Amino acid sequence: MTTELLETVEIESGANPSAAIIWMHGLGADANDFVPIVKELDLRNCPAIRFVFPNAPQIPVTLNGGYIMRAWYDIAAAGTDINKREDEAGLRLSQQQIEALIARENARGIATDKIILAGFSQGCAMSLQTGLRHPQKLAGIMGLSGYVPLADKIGEERHAANQNTSIFLVHGTVDPVIPIQRAQQSRDLLISLGYPVEWHDYWMQHSVAPQEIIDIGNWLRKVL
């Protein structure tokens, strides 16, 4: 069975890109959500980068009364109950779709170790869900205002290829959607499994802070 490619919005920071960032949006947003941030990033000394922003599928979301919206997986509860009844099938289906985008970048000449998986909120969960299991070394995994999904399975399912891959995690200290404790649990889990985690928190809600954009740029220059 071939996985149908997701629709994407793409921006290239220069001609003939040799690196790619596949950047997943959050619940109910779309591929355009993080496009404006590209021009705010300080990418000095980075190779030309292809930013790939995929659209999540349209699915009914239980938390929102079954309303159909763009989502990487279903969510039954918010806040600290987010662990309960995780949509494992949805997570794994979206993981396959992101794997297909990695394969497309490979086919376009970009090596896996020059690809970063990034995402916000649900997109963060997907970057970790996919990146930690990916069988080839990635350049990095960036998780903004999210958490590790299927946390009880990651120990056995993770792939050794990305054991030393840099993981960049940030969260808002007053996030009302995903409490910071949830993100700290994910951070501590990854550290306990031996991953190199760069952690930042900011006085913000479920959003993006100006300092965060600076820190993302610094990290991108380091891993690319």
Side-chain angles (χ1 to χ4, degrees), residues 89-101:
L91 280 156
R92 294 193 189 279
L93 180 60
S94 286
Q95 178 188 341
Q96 287 177 0
Q97 293 178 305
I98 294 162
E99 295 277 3
L101 292 175

Side-chain angles (χ1 to χ4, degrees), residues 18-21 47 102 110-117 131 134 136-142 161-162 164-168 196 219-220 222-224:
S18 60
I21 301 175
I102 295 172
I110 296 182
T112 305
D113 64 3
K114 297 293 183 202
I115 295 174
I116 290 171
L117 293 184
H134 194 65
Q136 282 108 26
K137 168 103 173 76
L138 294 156
I141 301 169
M142 180 166 75
N162 283 293
N164 297 313
T165 298
S166 178
I167 301 175
F168 179 88
W219 179 76
L220 289 177
K222 201 158 56 181
V223 297
L224 290 177

Side-chain angles (χ1 to χ4, degrees), residues 117-163:
L117 293 184
F120 174 81
S121 193
Q122 265 205 347
C124 165
M126 286 318 309
S127 68
L128 291 161
Q129 169 76 16
T130 309
L132 297 172
R133 292 167 175 80
H134 194 65
Q136 282 108 26
K137 168 103 173 76
L138 294 156
I141 301 169
M142 180 166 75
L144 314 177
S145 300
Y147 56 91
V148 174
L150 307 181
D152 56 335
K153 295 189 164 70
I154 193 62
E156 63 192 51
E157 293 183 0
R158 64 198 177 122
H159 197 286
N162 283 293
Q163 180 62 57

Side-chain angles (χ1 to χ4, degrees), residues 17-35:
S18 60
I21 301 175
I22 302 171
W23 197 322
M24 278 71 72
H25 61 74
L27 177 69
D30 68 17
N32 293 294
D33 200 32
F34 278 84
V35 168

